[in-house]
Amino acid sequence: MASSAAAAAATVMLGGKGSALSPAAVYAFSLGLAAPGIDPSAHKSLSTRAPSPQETPARLAAALAALAPAESRAAAAVLLNKLVLTSSDSASALVTAATVARLADSLDLAAALPLASRDEAAVAAATAPVAVALAALIDCCAAPLARVADAVAALSCEAARGDAAAFDVPASGDGLCAKDEADVAADIKVLVFGSKLVGAAGGVPAAATFAKVPALNGIFRQAVRALHVLVRIELNAPVKLGKRDAGETGEGKEEALVVLATQLARAVQALSKLSIARARLCAESIADAELREKLTGGVSVDDLKGMLDNVLIDSDAVSVLKGVYNHLLKFRDFLAWEAAVAMAVIEADSSIEKPQAAVENEAASVTEKPLAGGDKAKGDKKSKKKKTLGLESLVEKVKEIVESNEVRRLPKIPKGTRDFGKEQMAIRERAFSIITSVFKMHGATALDTPVFELRETLMGKYGEDSKLIYDLADQGGELCSLRYDLTVPFARYVAMNSISALKRYQIAKVYRRDNPSKGRYREFYQCDFDIAGVYEPMEPDFEVIKVLTELLNQLDIGTYEIKLNHRKLLDGMLEICGVPPQKFRTVCSSIDKLDKQTFEQVKKELVDEKGISNETADEIGNLVKTRGPPLEVLMELRKEGSKFMNNVGSVAALNELEILFKALDKANAISKITFDLSLARGLDYYTGVIYEAVFKGAAQVGSIAAGGRYDNLVGMFSGKQIPAVGVSLGIERVFAIMEQQEKERNEKIRPTETEVLVSILGKDLTLAAELVSELWNAGIKAEFKLTTRVANHIKYALQSSIPWMVLVGESELQKGTVKLKDVEANQEEEVDRKDFVRELKKRLSKS
């Protein structure tokens, strides 16, 4: 029977469509905090046949004796889920309803034995449920500790007055450090930002100790993530009976889990030593020797000696995994102790006015029960009555300190995003105005689509870049993802509405789970111009490229180059070089990296990862060097003896390019274009001409626009082929160029368009409302300000670059006049109150 705790607990459904067993759910099962439920759809696949008792798999039988009750419940939940998944996945799998019911009711692995069919025994043998369950418990414990370790390190940095410069790690996008190391450093810098305690006073020992944190905590994150990925797979992958899995003993899975778990244990060992070192460093600032001994006397590095050896020396997987789990729990204790020491030191710091009594009470509560065992710390009778600092009191204490320091803890934005202040918004609005006017000049209509799409809409359209799609949590019913670009949603819109021809533009944000670096964001605007429909050859392609040149010219960003190629020509080149057709797209993804990597690096990827021979890779390298003025390169590729002229696809591409280049030449747009055979564009949906604009100025921002022809994308949604071609402007990088240009010109950016400031030398809001409303009604952009100091009015006008002021004080009120002030010329003129709007209009029209 299920325990009373489990009966009252939440139910976790197994076997439902889209459901997945998480490590947290396994942990909840182990503690009796959750009870399993079988989805009704999964019940239908279970057999009602009478049980045929089977011999328990040898490895499972051996592991049973070593399991504690909580571990047995976790293993039972894993086996139960695997049986249900396998039954639902394979109609021929014989999994009995009786076995599933016994496991679900008892959550006791031993109570479910013997298993009732050969298939059930095969599942139990292949899935290694005990090892997977223990790995899930490790995963559930380790994941939150990765964040806690960062927070405690930040707290100790404050207590030891460490220098935040220890966390100055280069951005991982530059390739100069591991991503996790950079992330840890960035997270800790946010935690200590603005702290009154963090500084350079900690000296060399503090600097050396905290300098280790990003690398070691980063390795811990990496180990946690690697284990988590494998655990999620092993928890939820059904067993394929009758195939390879049917004869498995689960030994391979156990060994793989042990490898990752022991890597985690080594990281934990290093972090435990570092935690002890930080705690002792914090305690050194306490002058009271007795109090310092109370805080640090219970724990030493000796507690770690042999701990890791004891974990790794056991030969069987279950013992190793249990040892790693206990190792993690010990690490959790070290972190709690370190946090308590750091908080006690912070409370003792006179600069934040904490009473010493509070510190002594805290110290007594920490040292009453040393972590490493041994006698209780000696003290007075009052201190002996103090309770041990448990998890609840630690959490409350951390919460208290965080809330007290709330004023100096500034929020942050996610990596790969940015805020736009008033000056940046002024530049952005100017750019959007130019872009929209160019689009409209070519007859395009505006379109808007949802910021998220069904996941099935986006998948299979981006090749290897599909891994960068942001998936949203299932809210019940539909699996959705944030849009990766605006092209696929446009194709979906055309297909869904049975549109045969459309010229549209769209300016909106897209999202990519990329590695942020300079000029590369996770959230950014795209400005798209696309033409869908059947036209004469190269007709829409010409207009789209012409639009791109007009955009970049009118934005006035400086020198740029548009690299252009043809997908059919690229495929012909790969065919000429001997690349199998099934590898065209993946080889294109590698070639597309040539703007960021050397050919030797790309060649290594082609040979080592994609199975291309050295000879083929070298031949590709020779051909992709071809680039130059479009008509000249075209002539070179079409000359007698060219390999391209013997390839049908290449000949068709070259004929289309001839039409395009001649049209661009007549439109005076060809001078900015380079025919470049190395341009590949990694997205799967391109079928014809492809192009990419690159900024050639000092700012290193990479590609600023890209696009091409995609004749088959709409047909993926509707079955009806609607050819299309388009371009997307990466406006964030254009913003970066425009901002840099403004700085170099030393020009002041006007964040507002205010023409007149109504300055009331007093506090008469009704007078200000009357005057400024007359200006607003006349279509004049105006603001108002109430203050008795004339200097404040003038200062505001100068800061905001407002050209005109209307000044009204006591003397003007008595005479029925106002003063008009030309701010730049510093000249004033008094005019009648009733005529001031007309007079301002005259002056504004002249300026």
Side-chain angles (χ1 to χ4, degrees), residues 628-636 657-658 661-662 665 670 675:
L631 291 171
E632 292 180 18
V633 174
L634 180 67
M635 189 181 300
E636 177 70 20
L657 289 173
E658 181 181 15
F661 292 158
K662 286 181 177 179
D665 188 28
I670 203 166
F675 192 174

Side-chain angles (χ1 to χ4, degrees), residues 136-434:
L137 296 180
I138 294 170
D139 181 21
C140 189
C141 180
L145 280 180
R147 297 295 179 186
V148 172
D150 297 344
V152 172
L155 191 63
S156 290
C157 186
E158 288 192 292
R161 293 184 175 273
D163 190 350
F167 310 116
D168 288 339
V169 176
S172 59
D174 297 334
L176 300 177
C177 78
K179 178 182 181 300
D180 292 299
E181 181 180 352
D183 288 348
V184 168
D187 290 346
I188 294 179
K189 285 183 78 172
V190 169
L191 289 171
V192 301
F193 182 79
S195 172
K196 298 174 183 176
L197 301 179
V198 171
V204 175
T209 300
F210 290 105
K212 298 177 183 178
V213 172
L216 293 181
N217 285 31
I219 287 293
F220 181 52
R221 281 193 188 187
Q222 187 177 328
V224 169
R225 187 169 57 252
L227 180 65
H228 176 74
V229 169
L230 183 58
V231 167
R232 291 279 295 185
I233 293 170
E234 296 301 342
L235 285 177
N236 296 291
V239 176
K240 302 294 183 181
L241 296 173
K243 296 186 179 181
R244 180 179 65 86
D245 287 349
E248 273 197 7
T249 62
E251 190 173 358
K253 290 179 171 58
E254 290 179 353
E255 288 180 1
L257 290 168
V258 165
V259 168
L260 294 179
T262 50
Q263 288 176 354
L264 181 67
R266 292 185 186 280
V268 166
Q269 179 83 350
L271 289 185
S272 297
K273 290 181 178 178
L274 190 58
S275 177
I276 292 173
R278 288 196 304 258
R280 292 191 173 282
L281 187 64
C282 292
E284 286 177 5
S285 63
I286 299 177
D288 187 328
E290 184 179 354
L291 177 58
R292 187 168 62 249
E293 177 60 27
K294 283 183 179 181
L295 285 169
T296 61
V299 179
S300 73
V301 180
D302 293 339
D303 297 326
L304 296 170
K305 287 181 179 177
M307 184 184 292
L308 188 60
D309 292 338
N310 291 336
V311 168
L312 303 181
I313 200 170
D314 293 298
S315 57
D316 66 291
V318 172
S319 298
V320 172
L321 292 170
K322 289 181 71 170
V324 173
Y325 183 59
N326 292 331
H327 203 40
L328 267 176
L329 297 182
K330 187 70 174 177
F331 174 48
R332 183 183 63 185
D333 290 344
F334 283 131
L335 286 177
W337 168 69
E338 180 192 352
V341 171
M343 288 188 291
V345 171
I346 289 173
E347 289 195 3
D349 195 306
S350 59
S351 66
I352 47 177
E353 299 177 358
K354 294 290 184 181
Q356 181 66 21
V359 181
E360 292 175 351
N361 288 341
E362 187 62 51
S365 69
V366 174
T367 57
E368 183 65 27
K369 186 178 180 181
L371 291 170
D375 297 333
K376 293 181 179 180
K378 295 180 180 180
D380 57 26
K381 294 180 180 179
K382 185 176 180 180
S383 68
K384 290 182 180 178
K385 294 179 182 178
K386 296 292 293 182
K387 294 181 179 179
T388 303
L389 182 66
L391 184 58
E392 288 185 16
S393 57
L394 174 61
V395 170
E396 288 301 315
K397 202 68 185 172
V398 171
K399 182 180 177 183
E400 179 185 325
I401 287 184
V402 169
E403 288 176 351
S404 68
N405 291 338
E406 197 171 40
V407 175
R408 60 185 174 83
R409 303 284 186 190
L410 297 182
K412 69 168 186 172
I413 58 175
K415 299 181 185 72
T417 62
R418 63 181 295 198
D419 290 321
F420 286 88
K422 55 186 180 180
E423 289 83 7
Q424 287 82 17
M425 283 300 297
I427 295 173
R428 191 169 81 172
E429 288 176 351
R430 188 175 79 226
F432 282 160
S433 176
I434 293 170

Side-chain angles (χ1 to χ4, degrees), residues 746-804:
N746 202 22
E747 292 180 1
K748 187 173 183 180
I749 301 170
R750 278 204 68 189
T752 71
E753 297 179 4
T754 306
E755 298 170 300
V756 179
L757 175 64
V758 177
S759 299
I760 306 300
L761 304 179
K763 300 181 180 179
D764 191 343
L765 177 60
T766 56
L767 175 61
E770 180 184 358
L771 294 173
V772 78
S773 293
E774 289 185 37
L775 293 172
W776 289 336
N777 293 337
I780 296 173
K781 298 167 184 173
E783 297 181 50
F784 67 93
K785 192 171 181 64
L786 307 176
T787 178
T788 56
R789 294 173 62 93
V790 178
N792 287 349
H793 289 283
I794 296 174
K795 181 181 178 182
Y796 181 78
L798 288 169
Q799 287 177 341
S800 302
S801 300
I802 300 173
W804 287 92

Side-chain angles (χ1 to χ4, degrees), residues 447-453 457-458 461-462 481-497 504 506 509-510 526 528 685 710 713-714 717:
L447 175 70
D448 191 25
T449 56
V451 74
F452 54 90
E453 297 272 353
T457 299
L458 304 182
K461 314 297 190 304
Y462 303 107
S481 301
L482 293 178
R483 62 188 174 204
Y484 177 90
D485 65 7
L486 302 178
T487 307
V488 170
F490 170 63
R492 187 266 308 152
Y493 174 82
V494 171
M496 193 175 79
N497 292 280
R504 84 86 170 88
Q506 185 173 358
K509 287 183 176 180
V510 298
Q526 280 189 342
D528 277 25
Y685 53 65
Y710 50 98
L713 187 55
V714 176
F717 298 109

Side-chain angles (χ1 to χ4, degrees), residues 573-580 584 612 616 619:
M573 180 187 76
L574 297 180
E575 188 177 338
I576 290 167
C577 293
V579 177
F584 280 4
I612 302 300
T616 299
E619 195 164 349

